[in-house]
Structure formats: C-alpha cells, structure tokens
Amino acid sequence: MLSVSRSDHRLVHALRVINMQADIAPQAMGSLLISFGNTQVICAVNIEDGVPRWMKEQKITGGWLTAEYSMLPYSTKPRKSRMALQGRFDGRSMEIQRLIGRSLRAAIDLEMLGARTISVDCDVLQADGGTRTAAITGASVAIALALQQLVQKKELVAHPMKKLVAAVSVGILRGEVLLDLDYSEDRDAQVDLNLVMNESLEFIELQASGEESVFHHDQLSLMLEYGREGISQLLEKQRSFLEEKQIFF
Ligand code: UDP
C-alpha cells in the first residue's frame, strides 16, 4: 500500500533509499558519501594528537570531537553563496554542527581515545531535506573508519567507538505522521522532529517543534515509533557496511 500523500509515494513510515560509499575523500582518515534519497552528504574525519586548550586548563583527561557542517553552494537551487566568504554568521550551520558534535561525542569512549581530537567535516553535496540527520548517520560510520586506521597502526589497543549513532527526521504533514521527510514535505510540515539514537536505542537528542502549530501526545508517540524503527534500519545498514570492511567493535 503506497501513500498517495507523499511526494515519492513512499509508505508513511518508510525511509528513502539509503546508500553509503566509503573513501570518497581519500586524504581523510575516514570518509563516506551518504545519501538519503536525493540528500547527499560528504562526511570526512581526521584524528590528530592534542586536545583543545580549555581541556588542558581544566585538567580534563581523554580526547575530544569537534564537527563542522556546511552546505556546498551548488547543493541547492538557487545557488547558496558561501557564508564564510561574506563574513556572515550562519546561525543554522552553527546550530547543526553543535548537534552533530554532541551526537557523536556520545558514540565514543573519549578516555580510550586518549589526548587526540577527532575533526568531523560534513559538507552537503545535494540538499533535499534531512541534511543534519544524514550528516550524523554518515559521520558515525566515517569516524569508525578513521578510528580503525589507528587500531591497525596499533596506536590504539582497541576501537574506542562504544556504539554507532544514527539520526532521522519525522514530521507531521496535513495531519499525517511521516518518516524521513524530503524538502517538499519538510517545507510544508506542521511539525518537525529530529531524533538521534544509539545502538541500544537510547535517546541522544530529541528535537521536536510545532512550526506555528501544535501536536498531541499520541502524535508524538507515533513520531517516536516511526523514528525508532527508521533508526533501527539505519543502524543495521551501518553495521553491515562496517562488517563488510572487517570493522568490529
Ligand atoms: N534548505 C535550503 N537552503 C538553506 C536551508 C535549507 O535549500 O539555506 C533546504 C534543504 O533542502 C534542506 C531543507 O531545506 O535540506 C530543510 O532544512 P532544515 O533547516 O530543516 O535542515 P535539514 O532538514 O536539512 O536538516
């Protein structure tokens, strides 16, 4: 039974087609091109010795993870100019990169990582809704690939990834709960929810907002049910992708 209400006739609780391609940026220690339908994000990860100065000053042991997010100018129609070149502060990107950082720090044993910093760069190649959730899901795999390099070089005795992390969007459009919204759905949605969970299906972040609208407890429950099911499927795809590459943790 296909949904007539969705732009691509997907079932209300169906993800878009998910694809992952490793080593898209060969100079990075780990990289992945992830697509959720037409949304495509390049996730590149590097790991360097050292931690931010505030950690040293506060005598916080272990490592750190930091993330940057940006939309490439040609990822949207019309073209989106590079904010940095204009010296403009892009609040949306700041908010998204902080979300990515928080989500992924929850995936890693920072003590086991030691005094190293993981830098995650997420660049949107094609934007069609859900870029932040695709970025988190892709970066989780790219980090696992990068950490494996340190394990192989015996710089780490074990892989410091605790649990994979995945994220998905859910929303309400014309009163109907929908999983993994594309741009045309997201634009008109009354409610927008971004969900980040780990492999134990524990919550890492839950952001839900009525866009000038309200929602009820039963609608929230259904959004969480669809979101949790979508995240389970994403986690399975991430796991089998890594297992094919003989990466286990
Ligand atoms: N979008 C865009 N230009 C922008 C911001 C957003 O074209 O400057 C589009 C893009 O397709 C994006 C969607 O709007 O995926 C939804 O944006 P939102 O801020 O909700 O973030 P996302 O859903 O991508 O995480």
Side-chain angles (χ1 to χ4, degrees), residues 146-164:
L147 287 169
Q148 183 68 13
Q149 301 259 336
L150 295 185
V151 175
Q152 262 161 7
K153 285 193 222 153
K154 302 208 176 350
E155 290 181 33
L156 285 171
V157 285
H159 201 292
M161 197 121 185
K162 293 187 289 194
K163 289 166 191 166
L164 284 165

Side-chain angles (χ1 to χ4, degrees), residues 39 69 71 76 80 92 96 127-133 183 186 192 194:
T39 286
Y69 164 98
M71 290 174 77
T76 61
K80 185 180 164 74
R92 175 179 173 273
I96 293 178
D128 186 26
T131 59
R132 72 193 71 196
T133 48
Y183 174 65
D186 186 271
D192 189 22
N194 288 300

Side-chain angles (χ1 to χ4, degrees), residues 20 164 166 199 229-243:
M20 291 181 249
L164 284 165
E199 280 180 294
E229 184 48 40
I231 284 184
S232 302
Q233 291 170 25
L234 290 167
L235 288 162
E236 268 175 42
K237 286 180 199 291
Q238 291 169 310
R239 255 302 154 201
S240 54
F241 185 84
L242 289 170
E243 280 173 11

Side-chain angles (χ1 to χ4, degrees), residues 164-197:
L164 284 165
V165 165
V168 79
S169 75
V170 201
I172 302 179
L173 179 63
R174 292 184 285 272
E176 196 166 29
V177 174
L178 302 178
L179 177 69
D180 188 19
L181 283 72
D182 68 17
Y183 174 65
S184 66
E185 294 172 333
D186 186 271
R187 186 189 51 206
D188 299 330
Q190 300 133 250
V191 179
D192 189 22
L193 183 148
N194 288 300
L195 183 60
V196 187
M197 298 179 93

Side-chain angles (χ1 to χ4, degrees), residues 7-173:
S7 53
D8 57 2
H9 307 298
R10 258 182 302 150
L11 287 171
V12 287
H13 55 275
L15 290 171
R16 289 176 281 183
V17 174
I18 309 296
N19 272 308
M20 291 181 249
Q21 183 188 339
D23 304 327
I24 188 81
Q27 302 276 34
M29 287 174 70
S31 66
L32 189 88
L33 173 65
I34 188 160
S35 47
F36 280 43
N38 290 328
T39 286
Q40 292 189 302
V41 184
I42 301 165
C43 305
V45 174
N46 284 294
I47 306 170
E48 287 171 326
D49 288 341
V51 291
R53 198 197 329 195
W54 64 265
M55 281 182 72
K56 289 185 214 155
E57 284 170 359
Q58 293 179 31
K59 300 199 173 15
I60 298 174
T61 57
W64 188 242
L65 181 147
T66 174
E68 292 184 17
Y69 164 98
S70 111
M71 290 174 77
L72 289 164
Y74 44 86
S75 65
T76 61
K77 269 199 171 85
R79 179 183 184 273
K80 185 180 164 74
S81 54
R82 291 182 203 265
M83 297 283 183
L85 287 186
Q86 300 171 355
R88 269 165 54 196
F89 174 77
D90 178 3
R92 175 179 173 273
S93 295
M94 291 296 290
E95 176 194 327
I96 293 178
Q97 65 197 27
R98 293 189 66 204
L99 167 68
I100 297 170
R102 284 196 301 275
S103 301
L104 296 168
R105 279 193 289 276
I108 292 155
D109 185 332
L110 292 170
E111 275 302 323
M112 197 194 267
L113 177 65
R116 297 181 176 91
T117 297
I118 300 178
S119 300
V120 178
D121 287 294
C122 298
D123 288 288
V124 179
L125 186 58
Q126 184 165 270
D128 186 26
T131 59
R132 72 193 71 196
T133 48
I136 292 167
T137 307
S140 177
V141 174
I143 292 169
L145 295 171
L147 287 169
Q148 183 68 13
Q149 301 259 336
L150 295 185
V151 175
Q152 262 161 7
K153 285 193 222 153
K154 302 208 176 350
E155 290 181 33
L156 285 171
V157 285
H159 201 292
M161 197 121 185
K162 293 187 289 194
K163 289 166 191 166
L164 284 165
V165 165
V168 79
S169 75
V170 201
I172 302 179
L173 179 63

